[in-house]
Amino acid sequence: SQTIIFAVFILLATECTVSSSFTLVMMGARRGKGNLKKGLDSSSSKSKPSTVSSLNQGRGQEITGVSLPAQGTVKGWEFGANKRLACANVEDNFYVVQGECPRCGFDLFKGDIVTDPAFGDNPSDLPRIACPTCATTFSLRTGKHGPALKRTGLAGFVGGLAKTATVNDASADAKSFMITIDQDSGRVFLKER
């Protein structure tokens, strides 16, 4: 009887390894997660790369389940597996860049917005967002890296360590996205610049 049970176990184990995989789609509160990555990442898409720019009359991928940040704040959005974005509201203009710092990998949406015209060489790159860890700034318009935000105390010490540890990625730019809000419906669209 033990050999029969063992044989049935082996048969079931073999059947389980042969079975095909499946995708679980969750409905409800997590509605819409993952669709942004599929729409923006041309390597995971089987369609032509030009389809993202032609989606929704050229406005890009519609994003759902997010709230826009209040004036002068930054909000982090996460879509699917490992797709994070930082959305900033500066003077009622919305800007979106990738959610993690290209230099140190920390969350940009936890950073500071820099709007001072005396900061940096190119005023057209303003506003900027400063990484809370390495203090490197990135243009919210273009994603281009810029001068570090000067910090003092513990934040300055940690930033100095982070800059030293990530010196090879010092000139990496952040991906920037164009956000469009349909005034009639309130729908939010996003596409990479």
Side-chain angles (χ1 to χ4, degrees):
S1 74
Q2 284 182 335
T3 13
I4 294 174
I5 294 173
F6 182 73
V8 170
F9 175 75
I10 295 296
L11 180 64
L12 287 174
T14 307
E15 284 295 317
C16 289
T17 59
V18 172
S19 67
S20 63
S21 63
F22 65 94
T23 302
L24 176 64
V25 177
M26 298 185 71
M27 305 301 271
R30 295 181 53 91
R31 188 183 105 224
K33 293 207 174 199
N35 292 333
L36 179 65
K37 182 175 183 179
K38 292 175 194 164
L40 294 177
D41 185 11
S42 60
S43 64
S44 67
S45 162
K46 293 182 182 177
S47 61
K48 294 183 253 176
S50 64
T51 58
V52 173
S53 60
S54 64
L55 276 176
N56 299 310
Q57 295 83 36
R59 295 180 288 189
Q61 174 73 40
E62 179 180 5
I63 55 174
T64 57
V66 299
S67 58
L68 295 170
Q71 167 64 29
T73 62
V74 182
K75 193 171 244 189
W77 294 337
E78 186 166 344
F79 302 94
N82 254 355
K83 188 65 171 180
R84 294 181 300 165
L85 300 175
C87 180
N89 180 348
V90 181
E91 298 174 3
D92 292 324
N93 293 313
F94 294 97
Y95 303 95
V96 180
V97 293
Q98 71 185 55
E100 63 281 338
C101 175
R103 183 169 186 173
C104 70
F106 199 75
D107 299 329
L108 280 179
F109 62 86
K110 294 179 181 177
D112 300 316
I113 298 174
V114 179
T115 57
D116 185 3
F119 187 81
D121 298 333
N122 190 355
S124 67
D125 279 348
L126 290 175
R128 303 186 76 78
I129 188 164
C131 175
T133 304
C134 68
T136 302
T137 61
F138 300 93
S139 170
L140 287 168
R141 295 178 192 269
T142 64
K144 295 214 179 285
H145 69 283
L149 182 64
K150 303 289 185 220
R151 293 204 168 113
T152 59
L154 182 59
F157 175 74
V158 171
L161 290 176
K163 284 183 215 167
T164 304
T166 59
V167 72
N168 292 338
D169 297 322
S171 61
D173 293 332
K175 289 182 183 175
S176 64
F177 300 86
M178 186 169 63
I179 190 166
T180 308
I181 303 167
D182 187 309
Q183 297 301 321
D184 297 330
S185 66
R187 295 167 50 196
V188 179
F189 300 93
L190 193 70
K191 72 176 180 179
E192 191 170 340
R193 289 187 196 262

